[in-house]
Amino acid sequence: MLLVLTVGLVGAGIALVRIVKQSQQYEIDGRLNARLAWLVSAIDMEAGDGKICMEAHGLPAGMSDDWQIRTKDGRILWSSRDSLQMKHVATKSQVVLLGEEGWPELSGEVLKKIYESDKGEKNKSVAYKFLPVKSSITLVVSSFESTVEKHVELERLYDKLTVGIPSVILILGILLIILVRWQLRPLSRMAAEAGCITPDNLGYRISDAGTSSECICLRAAINEMVKRLADGIERERLFFQAASHDLRTPLAQMRLQAEITLRKTKTPQQYQDAFREMVDDIIKLEQLIKGLLLLTRTSYLKADSQHVTRLYEVVHEICPEVSVPESIMIAGESNLIYSAIINVVENAKQYAPDKVPEVTFRDMGEFVELIISDFGSGIPEGDLERIFEPLVRLDSARTSNATTGFGLGLAITRSITRTFLGEITCGNRNDGVSGAVFTFKFKKV
C-alpha cells in the first residue's frame, strides 16, 4: 500500500512539473511570436528612394523584451540593446525578404545608416540607404525572452516537491501503520482465541471479532468450520466405538468356541458343529470388514460426475419389473450405483420378508428419482436421518431376528449417492399402509 502511495505521489509530482513547464513554454512562445509580429510590421522598404525604415508603431502588452534585426551575413541593423548575452534565453527567428524576387540581392555591408532616433522605445526608429535602387535584401528578425525567472520558479517547485513528497510519504506511512495495526487488532485477538481450540476443547468458539464486517464473516466461517470438525470427530469417535464393539463380538465368540472345543476330546460331529459355528462368525466378521472398507472408500471419494451409468441396466438387474427408459444416463460407477440400490432393496426385504417392496421411477428433468417403498413397521420421525449414520441400528433392528446387518448399508448408500452428485432421503408411507419410503435422486448426464 505504501509503495502504491509513493508511486502515485511521485507520478503526481512529475505530472505537475510537466504541466508547469508546458504552461511556461506556452507563455514564452506567445511573447516571442508577439514581438516577431511587431518587428515585421515595423519594417518598411521604400524601393523608389532606396531606403529601409524601421520604426516602432506602438508597443502592445505581452511581447518579449528584446529583439534584433540583422542581415543575412550577420550585420545588426536594429536591436533593443547592444549585447544580448544572457544565461537563460529563449529565441525565435523569422526570415523577411525586402524587395521582389528576381531583384539582385545586396549584402549588409552596402547599407548606410541615414539616421537613428532614441526618444524612448515608443518613438525609436532607424533608417538605412542602399544602392542600386531596385535591389532586394534578406533580413533575419529575432525575438528573445529571458527564462531566468521561469528557471527560478521551477527550482522552487523542485525544492518544494523534494521536501514535500517525502514528508507526505512519511506522514502517510505512519498513518497507514497505525491504521493497519488498529484494523489487525481483532485478527490478533481471533488468532489468540483460535489457538485455544484443541482436540480436547472443540466446544470453544471465537467470540471477539471487532466491528469490521470482514472480521465478523471470518469469525463465523471459522466457528462453522470448527463446528463441522467437532461434529466429524465426534461421529468418528462414535463410529470407532461401535466398530470396535462389532469387531470384538465375533472374535470373542470364535475364541470362546475354540476354548470350549479344546477343553476335552469330542466326537467328529461335535468338532464339525464347532467349526461350523466358527465359520459363521468368520463370515460375519468378513462382511463387517468388507462393509467398513467400502464405507471408507466411498467417504474419501471426491464429488464426481465424469463416470456415466445406464440406469436401466442397473435397475433391470435388481428389479426387472420396473420400467426405466433405456436412454437414461446418470452420473456414477455402475458397480457402486448397484451397491447403493441393492442395499436399500435388501433392507426393505428384511423388514417385510413376505412382501416385495414397491419400486417406481420418475423423470424430474435434470434429475431422476428411484423410489423404494417397503411394508415394514416404518421409522420414527426422529430417526429418519440417524439411520444413515454408520453402525446405527434402531432398537427394533437390534432385537429383530430378521435383521442380521451391522448398520453400514444405508451409510454406504448415502455416501455413494452424494459422491456422484445425488442424494437419498427417507420418509414414511402416507397411503395408509405402514412402511418406509427411500427416494434416490440421481443426476442425469
Side-chain angles (χ1 to χ4, degrees):
M1 179 67 75
L2 187 59
L3 178 60
V4 174
L5 291 174
T6 302
V7 173
L9 289 174
V10 173
I14 294 174
L16 178 61
V17 171
R18 288 183 176 179
I19 292 173
V20 172
K21 281 186 176 181
Q22 191 175 24
S23 176
Q24 289 181 348
Q25 189 62 47
Y26 285 155
E27 182 182 354
I28 292 171
D29 289 342
R31 290 174 61 83
L32 292 174
N33 290 330
R35 177 61 74 177
L36 284 178
W38 179 83
L39 288 172
V40 172
S41 65
I43 300 173
D44 184 24
M45 178 179 180
E46 299 177 2
D49 298 335
K51 186 190 303 182
I52 300 174
C53 297
M54 287 166 276
E55 183 177 2
H57 302 294
L59 297 172
M63 295 191 299
S64 58
D65 296 331
D66 297 293
W67 77 90
Q68 185 184 84
I69 298 178
R70 58 182 174 85
T71 61
K72 192 175 180 180
D73 54 2
R75 181 183 176 185
I76 299 175
L77 304 181
W78 198 26
S79 177
S80 61
R81 64 175 74 180
D82 294 336
S83 176
L84 290 173
Q85 296 180 357
M86 292 180 282
K87 183 177 181 181
H88 298 286
V89 63
T91 305
K92 184 165 286 191
S93 300
Q94 181 178 342
V95 177
V96 178
L97 176 64
L98 297 181
E100 298 182 7
E101 292 185 6
W103 287 3
E105 187 172 354
L106 301 177
S107 66
E109 296 178 354
V110 302
L111 295 178
K112 295 181 180 180
K113 185 184 292 187
I114 300 174
Y115 69 88
E116 180 177 4
S117 65
D118 192 3
K119 301 177 182 179
E121 188 173 339
K122 292 185 178 181
N123 299 316
K124 191 172 184 178
S125 62
V126 65
Y128 288 87
K129 183 78 172 179
F130 64 91
L131 292 173
V133 176
K134 289 187 177 183
S135 300
S136 64
I137 188 168
T138 301
L139 301 180
V140 179
V141 180
S142 302
S143 59
F144 306 91
E145 178 73 15
S146 174
T147 58
V148 174
E149 293 183 0
K150 308 298 182 185
H151 281 281
V152 172
E153 291 179 4
L154 283 177
E155 288 177 359
R156 290 175 181 172
L157 180 60
Y158 280 131
D159 292 340
K160 290 180 180 179
L161 292 177
T162 303
V163 176
I165 291 179
S167 301
V168 172
I169 292 174
L170 179 61
I171 295 173
L172 289 177
I174 295 174
L175 293 177
L176 184 62
I177 292 173
I178 295 174
L179 178 63
V180 170
R181 287 184 175 273
W182 179 73
Q183 288 288 338
L184 291 180
R185 279 192 302 175
L187 293 179
S188 300
R189 293 193 296 267
M190 291 171 64
E193 292 188 11
C196 299
I197 302 175
T198 62
D200 299 328
N201 190 22
L202 290 176
Y204 188 84
R205 297 293 183 269
I206 298 175
S207 58
D208 187 5
T211 58
S212 172
S213 58
E214 292 81 3
C215 290
I216 293 174
C217 292
L218 179 61
R219 179 192 63 184
I222 293 176
N223 286 340
E224 182 62 25
M225 179 189 67
V226 173
K227 180 180 180 299
R228 291 195 301 268
L229 290 175
D231 293 342
I233 292 175
E234 180 63 18
R235 285 195 301 269
E236 288 187 1
R237 185 182 66 81
L238 296 176
F239 172 77
F240 288 134
Q241 287 180 353
S244 61
H245 174 269
D246 286 334
L247 286 171
R248 285 197 302 268
T249 299
L251 288 174
Q253 290 177 351
M254 285 188 294
R255 179 178 178 180
L256 178 62
Q257 186 65 35
E259 289 177 348
I260 293 175
T261 303
L262 294 175
R263 283 179 183 175
K264 59 181 179 178
T265 304
K266 299 182 180 297
T267 64
Q269 183 61 40
Q270 289 176 328
Y271 281 118
Q272 287 182 1
D273 294 339
F275 284 132
R276 190 175 294 110
E277 292 179 5
M278 293 175 65
V279 168
D280 291 339
D281 291 333
I282 292 173
I283 292 174
K284 292 180 181 179
L285 184 60
E286 182 182 13
Q287 291 175 346
L288 175 60
I289 294 174
K290 181 179 178 181
L292 291 173
L293 291 176
L294 181 58
L295 179 62
T296 303
R297 177 195 171 194
T298 56
S299 298
Y300 286 95
L301 285 175
K302 295 183 179 179
D304 184 14
S305 62
Q306 296 181 354
H307 293 85
V308 177
T309 296
R310 190 180 301 276
L311 183 61
Y312 167 80
E313 297 177 354
V314 177
V315 175
H316 185 72
E317 185 176 353
I318 300 173
C319 304
E321 69 280 1
V322 179
S323 177
V324 177
E326 296 187 18
S327 60
I328 297 294
M329 307 295 291
I330 64 171
E333 296 182 24
S334 59
N335 58 332
L336 292 179
I337 297 296
Y338 176 86
S339 297
I341 298 175
I342 197 65
N343 282 340
V344 176
V345 172
E346 294 297 331
N347 184 76
K349 290 179 179 179
Q350 286 182 359
Y351 285 96
D354 298 333
K355 294 184 180 181
V356 179
E358 297 177 352
V359 182
T360 57
F361 168 81
R362 188 163 52 190
D363 193 339
M364 304 298 292
E366 184 180 357
F367 291 88
V368 294
E369 290 184 350
L370 192 68
I371 304 169
I372 302 174
S373 305
D374 63 33
F375 295 92
S377 58
I379 299 173
E381 292 294 329
D383 295 324
L384 290 176
E385 279 296 316
R386 199 166 70 89
I387 60 174
F388 292 104
E389 297 178 7
L391 298 173
V392 170
R393 285 171 290 181
L394 303 184
D395 293 339
S396 59
R398 292 182 182 276
T399 58
S400 174
N401 295 328
T403 57
T404 59
F406 297 97
L408 293 174
L410 293 179
I412 294 172
T413 296
R414 170 162 281 187
S415 180
I416 291 173
T417 53
R418 288 183 174 179
T419 296
F420 298 111
L421 308 180
E423 185 57 277
I424 180 173
T425 57
C426 179
N428 288 306
R429 300 178 67 123
N430 56 6
D431 55 358
V433 180
S434 64
V437 179
F438 293 87
T439 302
F440 283 97
K441 180 185 284 187
F442 296 112
K443 181 177 175 59
K444 291 171 62 177
V445 293

